[in-house]
Amino acid sequence: MTLSINCKDAGDPTCSHTISGETEQELFDNAKKHALEEHGITAAEFEEDVKKNEEKYRSLIKKT
Ligand SMILES: [Zn+2]
C-alpha cells in the first residue's frame, strides 16, 4: 500500500507536488523533506503545523 498526500490539497496555493510513502512515518519524513527543501520552512515549523493540523492532514492521505 502506498500512502500519498498532495501539497495543493494540504493548502499550498501553487505547489502540486505529490508526496508518497509506504508507511505513515515514511510519508511524514518525505513531506518534511519536501517542505524544508521546496517551501523553505524549518523542521520546527513543519512539526508544529503538523501537530496543529494533524486531523486535517490525516484526512487528506490517499491510500492506493
Ligand atoms: Zn510542495
Side-chain angles (χ1 to χ4, degrees):
M1 188 164 69
T2 301
L3 308 178
S4 64
I5 190 163
N6 189 282
C7 232
K8 198 165 241 173
D9 291 344
D12 192 274
T14 52
C15 179
S16 58
H17 183 77
T18 298
I19 298 134
S20 58
E22 294 295 304
T23 62
E24 232 174 58
Q25 185 60 49
E26 199 181 307
L27 180 65
F28 178 84
D29 290 343
N30 289 339
K32 186 169 171 180
K33 192 164 172 277
H34 172 74
L36 267 60
E37 287 173 358
E38 306 294 329
H39 296 278
I41 68 167
T42 66
E45 282 168 341
F46 176 82
E47 276 163 24
E48 199 183 311
D49 184 56
V50 167
K51 211 178 280 175
K52 234 185 274 175
N53 299 294
E54 194 181 346
E55 288 301 306
K56 180 185 128 187
Y57 290 141
R58 207 172 279 271
S59 73
L60 294 171
I61 296 171
K62 292 187 183 83
K63 295 175 180 176
T64 51

